Amino acid sequence: MPHYEVVDTDDVPLEDLSASEEMPPDLNIRAIDAALGTEQIGVKLWYFEPGEEIGYHAHSEQEELFYVLEGEFSLKLGESGEEEYVEAGPGTFWVASPEMGHGHRCVGDEQGVVLAIGAPYVDDPGLDPHSLD
C-alpha cells in the first residue's frame, strides 16, 4: 500500500557510530532512511569534525550520491591506481557508481555535514577498491 512520511532533521536522533563494531568510521550520523522507513534507498546525514573522514572504498551494487551541506572536504575519487583528489564545499554534488572508489575527508576548520543517498539499499559496508578489476 503506498504511503508517505515527513520528518524534520532535528527529530531524527544523532547516532554515534563509534559504539558500533559493524559500522566504521567513528562519525555521527542521522539515519534519515530509518526515520522515513525507506526500503529501496539509503539516506544519511554524516557529521564530520575537522580531520575526520570516510576512507576510500567502493560498493558492489550501490550507487551513491553525495551533497555537501556544510564544511570543506577533500574527495578521493576514481578507480584504484587512477584516483583523483577534488576539493568540495557547500553546494557540491558528486556520485560514485557501483565498484567506483570514493572517500572524503573534512579539511576545513569547522564541522562538515554531507548528505549521502544510496540505491538500491543494500547492507554493504564497503569493498577495498584495490581488490576490484
Side-chain angles (χ1 to χ4, degrees), residues 23-95:
M23 185 70 166
D26 294 343
L27 299 172
N28 292 327
I29 66 164
R30 291 187 196 272
I32 306 300
D33 48 6
L36 292 174
T38 64
E39 296 177 12
Q40 300 299 315
I41 187 169
V43 183
K44 304 282 193 279
L45 284 173
W46 291 86
Y47 295 83
F48 297 81
E49 293 302 321
E52 290 183 326
E53 69 179 322
I54 290 181
Y56 182 65
H57 67 286
H59 299 283
S60 59
E61 300 176 44
Q62 190 175 63
E63 183 173 47
E64 286 188 294
L65 173 75
F66 301 92
Y67 180 73
V68 178
L69 294 162
E70 298 175 17
E72 300 295 327
F73 290 84
S74 177
L75 316 177
K76 183 178 182 179
L77 305 168
E79 295 179 356
S80 176
E82 299 177 17
E83 306 93 347
E84 293 185 40
Y85 291 88
V86 178
E87 301 304 309
T92 303
F93 282 98
W94 72 96
V95 68

Side-chain angles (χ1 to χ4, degrees), residues 55-60 97-102 124-129 132:
Y56 182 65
H57 67 286
H59 299 283
S60 59
S97 62
E99 298 190 355
M100 181 56 61
H102 59 284
D124 178 0
L127 305 170
D128 179 357
L132 301 173

